[in-house]
Amino acid sequence: QVQLVESGGGLVPAGGSLRLSCTASGRTTSSTDMGWFRQAPGEEREFVAVVRGLGGYTYYADSVKGRFTISRDSAKTTVYLQMNSLKLEDTAVYYCAARQNGILSTIRSSTMYNYWGQGTQVTVSS
């Protein structure tokens, strides 16, 4: 089992920045992928960014590429999502997610993650 705890959400004006954190506890391994998904009201949960457990490669949704940066600490138990140049459409509940031994082709699929945080609200105001 892996437990995930997020922090860092809040209200920020458009163009501003915010950093989310997610700390994992429990049975994380070197093959644990950790990432972020988000869900806006009335929308499906969508992929934002992920860092691959093996090798530390990072992957981003096209909508956030160049504005968001995902990183992790040296212990590989905490991931960060630095969000810059925030837009109104970034408003959502952001969820941290983790999985183990997943195949690369499914890394953007929320259904392939079996560990989730409680979610943190990010609201971008005009």
Side-chain angles (χ1 to χ4, degrees), residues 39-109:
Q39 188 167 19
E43 302 289 334
E44 297 282 322
R45 189 169 297 188
E46 66 172 1
F47 168 75
V48 176
V50 66
V51 56
R52 184 82 161 145
L54 292 174
Y57 299 103
T58 57
Y59 303 87
Y60 296 93
D62 288 343
S63 59
V64 306
K65 202 172 294 183
R67 299 188 298 122
F68 291 11
T69 302
I70 190 169
S71 61
R72 66 181 180 183
D73 67 349
S74 57
K76 302 179 184 179
T77 57
T78 299
V79 292
Y80 306 96
L81 186 68
Q82 178 65 44
M83 304 184 293
N84 299 328
S85 302
L86 282 160
K87 304 177 180 179
L88 296 179
E89 52 264 40
D90 294 319
T91 294
V93 177
Y94 284 69
Y95 295 92
C96 181
R99 66 176 195 171
Q100 294 172 334
N101 303 310
I103 60 174
L104 184 58
S105 63
T106 64
I107 203 165
R108 292 177 172 83
S109 175

